[in-house]
Amino acid sequence: MITQEDLPLLQKMSHTLGFLCADMVQKANSGHPGAPMGLADIASVLSFHLNLAPTNVDWLNRDRLIFSGGHASALVYALLHLWGFDVSMEDLQHFRQLGSKTPGHPEYGHTQGVEITTGPLGQGVANAVGMAMAGKYAQNLFGREIISHNVYCLCGDGDLQEGISYEAASIAGHHQLSNLILIYDSNHITIEGQTNIAMSENVAKRFEAQGFEVISCDGHNVLEIDSALSRAKDAIKPVLIIAHTTIAKHALSLEGSHKAHGTPLGEEIIKQAKQKLGLPPESFYVPSEVAFAFGLLKERGELSFKQWHKQYENLPQIAKERLDSMRNPSFEHITYPTFEVGESMATRVSNGKILNAISQALEGFLGGSADLAPSNNTHIHDERDFPFGKNWHFGIREHAMAAICNGVANYGLFLPFCATFFVFSDYMSPSVRLSSLMRACVYYIWTHDSIGVGEDGATHQPIEQLSHFRAMPNLLVFRPADANENVACWEVALDSKLPCAFVLSRQNLPILMPYTPTLKNQVQRGAYILKDTKDALITLMASGSEVSLALKACEKLIESNIKARVVSVPCLDLLLQQPRSYVQDLCKGSAVLAIEASRGLEWYAVADRVIGMDSFGASGQGEGLFAHFGFNVEHIVQVAHELIKQS
């Protein structure tokens, strides 16, 4: 507990920290000085509450600290440096420069100590809820002796205006996540000015209604901050600390101004402000007593780690093996289901069987749906619900669901999946983008993949979504043609160590091929010849439900003495990564016609012509819609003849 005697040191710590951030922004001539300076008092006190071990950065029982306002990254890096992480003073001096460890927004895997990549506002709040959910579930698996940490999240007015924070807080309150502490930097400032130009709600009552304990404090009174943090750690429900702060604290004429949000303060203001506070004028100055005080976090953390490690060593061997298998999962012992050629099954149904097979082999494989588990086929059999089992009910909250899963993935024990209808993936896109940026292993299950949805109409029929997600780097999008190809797609996905999406049919599809060990190798290259004809004049390429249609069209072409082949493309992303020679080997110099019930413009990278969607869908039976929009044998054959004549 902080006492009156500690106040001079705490004041010097916060002043040093705030102007270290101001110096970083000034040298870069770019960045956000206001929030870091306003948060400097809170961050200084927080240093005495956090349980981190900079020399054991992957310690399972460490506290997690997330900066939802990623624009305040100067504060992140300054703290990591002062706490003893691998962030040097030189790194701070290269803030926002190409190739530095200190980019404009914190990036997971790029800078040691950064728990997750937060860019769009509100994401970090949902990420923190995900980490708190992961921690709560892990605690139920292994006990409080092994899992007892807290998840802290620093957020601001912008984060709480974003709808994702409301969704995430609703889940946190519902599950009474007592390991979650949100610290709200309430400075009443956004880029355009005072928050009251667009926001007038009572935030405290909002969070109380969602099941939070709400604590208010003066964000510049270190004794009040210390008391609030101590109360929060003892709470039996999630906590929102409303810290009333002033943006750009101590920045003279810019103190309290929205102009300090995203613009350097200017050398003269920094110089005068330092002089007023009794700080030396030089940039990047850290007094030895301040460095020592911040450095105590490292010493306390290492001691806590050693104490925890003793408890870990006393675990039964079977418990240690479980933990190790979850942290380093092996996919060799998964017994996948088998599917008979000639049967008919929607890929959403086969996928449900595959999910259960993976879950049986991998204790850390878990997830759920946005209130659509019966339709998405994502229920894990013989499992309880969160927080005691693998079935996680996200409610109708797609945006938060995806961001929560990013937090779960980065927690370090689990492989999460989440599901909804493909058309609603639009709500998830910002979080999927961050998964891809981080290479976080989240598995997205998107069913009802095309106009085959049928009667629900254009609002529920995804058209442009495939193109959008295929354009996203580091994301593998699988659209399997049948149940056995679906198995191979999962084998490739798990090995990839990347976020992956499975785009699956509502309607039944014929099982076209038996599963063989070579199928995985074929899927690894994104595409393979499913039906070959020597000296074919045309190659029909397709994914998902259109593969069986391409096979029927191929037969019709052959009946009319037109030699044709069919190439199944379960993952166009992987195909486009192959050497051009591989595509040439698949097509053998023939004309190429791609068939897919989506916008499909990306197919022109490998195809001469595309039969795709040029409009939104319509309401009607799925088979009728396919014929209406040209996805039938007759139209494919007609276009194939035209393409051959042009070649």
Side-chain angles (χ1 to χ4, degrees):
M1 176 178 286
I2 293 172
T3 66
Q4 289 285 344
E5 295 177 355
D6 301 315
L7 295 185
L9 176 60
L10 262 297
Q11 185 180 70
K12 185 172 284 189
M13 290 172 66
S14 62
H15 290 169
T16 300
L17 178 61
F19 280 94
L20 184 58
C21 296
D23 288 339
M24 291 168 63
V25 174
Q26 190 64 41
K27 188 173 190 303
N29 196 29
S30 173
H32 304 76
M37 296 179 74
L39 280 166
D41 293 303
I42 295 168
S44 298
V45 177
L46 190 59
S47 298
F48 294 95
H49 286 266
L50 287 172
N51 209 10
L52 300 173
T55 54
N56 289 281
V57 292
D58 294 327
W59 175 29
L60 184 59
N61 199 40
R62 69 188 183 278
D63 287 334
R64 270 66 169 181
L65 176 61
I66 296 170
F67 287 77
S68 191
H71 58 276
S73 58
L75 181 64
V76 181
Y77 304 134
L79 286 170
L80 292 175
H81 166 70
L82 293 167
W83 288 339
F85 286 86
D86 185 20
V87 178
S88 67
M89 184 62 78
E90 184 179 2
D91 293 325
L92 301 187
Q93 293 167 348
H94 287 86
F95 179 54
R96 286 184 163 232
Q97 304 306 302
L98 183 64
S100 74
K101 291 182 184 177
T102 51
H105 286 71
E107 297 180 20
Y108 173 77
H110 185 84
T111 309
Q112 187 189 73
V114 171
E115 296 283 3
I116 201 156
T117 301
T118 55
L121 289 174
Q123 282 283 330
V125 174
N127 298 154
V129 172
M131 288 196 177
M133 291 178 74
K136 188 65 69 176
Y137 180 55
Q139 186 179 87
N140 287 331
L141 288 177
F142 298 105
R144 289 192 60 84
E145 296 79 11
I146 300 302
I147 306 294
S148 60
H149 66 83
N150 289 310
V151 178
Y152 296 83
C153 177
L154 285 162
C155 59
D157 293 293
D159 295 293
L160 298 192
Q161 286 184 32
E162 291 284 2
I164 189 174
S165 68
Y166 192 100
E167 292 182 22
S170 179
I171 296 177
H174 173 72
H175 288 298
Q176 293 290 276
L177 299 178
S178 57
N179 57 347
L180 175 66
I181 301 171
L182 302 183
I183 303 171
Y184 169 29
D185 174 27
S186 179
N187 60 30
H188 302 291
I189 292 292
T190 57
I191 291 174
E192 293 183 354
Q194 293 284 327
T195 54
N196 61 15
I197 64 175
M199 180 183 181
S200 56
E201 70 192 63
N202 188 317
V203 173
K205 288 184 178 179
R206 166 184 156 186
F207 275 82
E208 286 172 355
Q210 290 184 298
F212 276 66
E213 179 175 335
V214 177
I215 304 169
S216 292
C217 71
D218 179 345
H220 302 299
N221 183 317
V222 295
L223 294 176
E224 287 191 27
I225 298 166
D226 183 58
S227 175
L229 288 169
S230 296
R231 282 180 58 191
K233 290 192 292 186
D234 291 335
I236 59 173
K237 56 174 69 174
V239 173
L240 176 73
I241 297 175
I242 302 178
H244 299 284
T245 63
T246 301
I247 194 170
K249 184 70 173 174
H250 304 301
L252 303 182
S253 61
L254 290 177
E255 180 179 287
S257 171
H258 68 280
K259 295 178 181 179
H261 169 76
T263 305
L265 301 179
E267 291 182 1
E268 190 59 32
I269 285 181
I270 292 175
K271 178 182 176 181
Q272 292 177 14
K274 287 182 177 180
Q275 185 177 22
K276 184 176 180 180
L277 293 174
L279 296 175
E282 59 258 40
S283 299
F284 299 95
Y285 174 75
V286 179
S288 58
E289 64 271 28
V290 168
F292 176 80
F294 276 111
L296 289 175
L297 174 141
K298 182 176 181 179
E299 292 188 19
R300 291 194 310 271
E302 294 308 317
L303 178 60
S304 293
F305 171 77
K306 290 176 181 178
Q307 292 170 338
W308 176 87
H309 192 69
K310 289 180 181 178
Q311 293 174 316
Y312 169 79
E313 288 297 325
N314 289 330
L315 281 175
Q317 185 61 31
I318 190 171
K320 287 191 280 190
E321 289 174 358
R322 284 175 65 201
L323 263 173
D324 184 62
S325 68
M326 292 171 72
R327 300 192 81 168
N328 303 284
S330 171
F331 310 126
E332 297 177 358
H333 305 296
I334 301 172
T335 303
Y336 289 99
T338 56
F339 304 97
E340 295 297 323
V341 174
E343 292 182 357
S344 187
M345 182 181 293
T347 47
R348 64 169 172 161
V349 175
S350 62
N351 198 72
K353 297 178 184 296
I354 295 167
L355 290 180
N356 274 272
I358 297 171
S359 176
Q360 286 181 11
L362 302 179
E363 189 168 3
F365 188 77
L366 51 79
S369 173
D371 196 52
L372 290 170
S375 291
N376 297 146
N377 289 86
T378 51
H379 183 74
I380 302 299
H381 303 311
D382 302 319
E383 274 288 336
R384 299 168 70 185
D385 293 341
F386 177 86
F388 301 104
K390 294 185 177 186
N391 288 304
W392 293 26
H393 300 283
F394 294 103
I396 308 164
R397 305 181 182 99
E398 293 90 350
H399 199 354
M401 173 178 71
I404 284 170
C405 284
N406 281 341
V408 175
N410 279 24
Y411 183 80
L413 280 181
F414 306 112
L415 294 173
F417 66 85
C418 57
T420 188
F421 292 163
F422 191 28
V423 75
F424 301 146
S425 64
D426 289 343
Y427 286 135
M428 305 168 68
S429 182
S431 303
V432 178
R433 187 175 189 273
L434 290 173
S435 299
S436 303
L437 188 60
M438 294 186 289
R439 296 174 174 258
C441 291
V442 179
Y443 303 99
Y444 298 98
I445 314 299
W446 291 324
T447 68
H448 298 57
D449 67 337
S450 71
I451 56 173
V453 170
E455 292 86 348
D456 278 339
T459 62
H460 280 54
Q461 294 167 9
I463 300 302
E464 72 282 6
Q465 283 78 7
L466 262 173
S467 298
H468 170 61
F469 287 109
R470 283 173 174 160
M472 203 171 280
N474 302 334
L475 177 70
L476 298 183
V477 181
F478 295 94
R479 190 169 182 246
D482 72 358
N484 286 321
E485 194 175 83
N486 201 0
V487 170
C489 288
W490 268 104
E491 290 182 296
V492 173
L494 291 172
D495 285 345
S496 72
K497 301 295 191 292
L498 290 171
C500 297
F502 288 81
V503 181
L504 308 167
S505 74
R506 175 201 185 196
Q507 70 274 30
N508 287 336
L509 303 179
I511 296 176
L512 305 171
M513 66 204 84
Y515 178 85
T516 64
T518 59
L519 188 56
K520 176 185 174 182
N521 297 330
Q522 292 171 318
V523 170
Q524 278 179 325
R525 306 198 74 172
Y528 61 96
I529 296 172
L530 183 58
K531 179 179 176 59
D532 203 6
T533 304
K534 187 178 180 182
D535 300 324
L537 296 176
I538 190 162
T539 297
L540 305 179
M541 283 189 168
S543 75
S545 54
E546 289 78 76
V547 174
S548 59
L549 183 60
L551 285 169
K552 292 177 182 177
C554 181
E555 292 173 2
K556 201 72 172 178
L557 286 165
I558 291 172
E559 287 175 8
S560 61
N561 295 319
I562 300 293
K563 294 181 179 180
R565 74 171 56 85
V566 174
V567 170
S568 179
V569 189
C571 187
L572 185 59
D573 308 291
L574 289 173
L575 177 61
L576 296 180
Q577 293 174 17
Q578 305 307 312
R580 187 67 189 173
S581 58
Y582 182 69
V583 178
Q584 293 169 345
D585 289 341
L586 290 175
C587 304
K588 298 179 172 60
S590 69
V592 179
L593 174 61
I595 308 154
E596 191 171 67
S598 67
R599 195 71 182 95
L601 298 179
E602 64 274 19
W603 283 96
Y604 282 106
V606 292
D608 299 300
R609 188 165 172 181
V610 178
I611 297 177
M613 290 294 294
D614 296 323
S615 68
F616 292 106
S619 181
Q621 291 187 354
E623 289 185 8
L625 290 176
F626 269 83
H628 175 75
F629 287 105
F631 298 97
N632 55 14
V633 170
E634 293 74 20
H635 185 242
I636 294 170
V637 169
Q638 174 191 334
V639 174
H641 278 285
E642 294 172 0
L643 187 55
I644 290 168
K645 288 179 182 178
Q646 296 169 3
S647 300

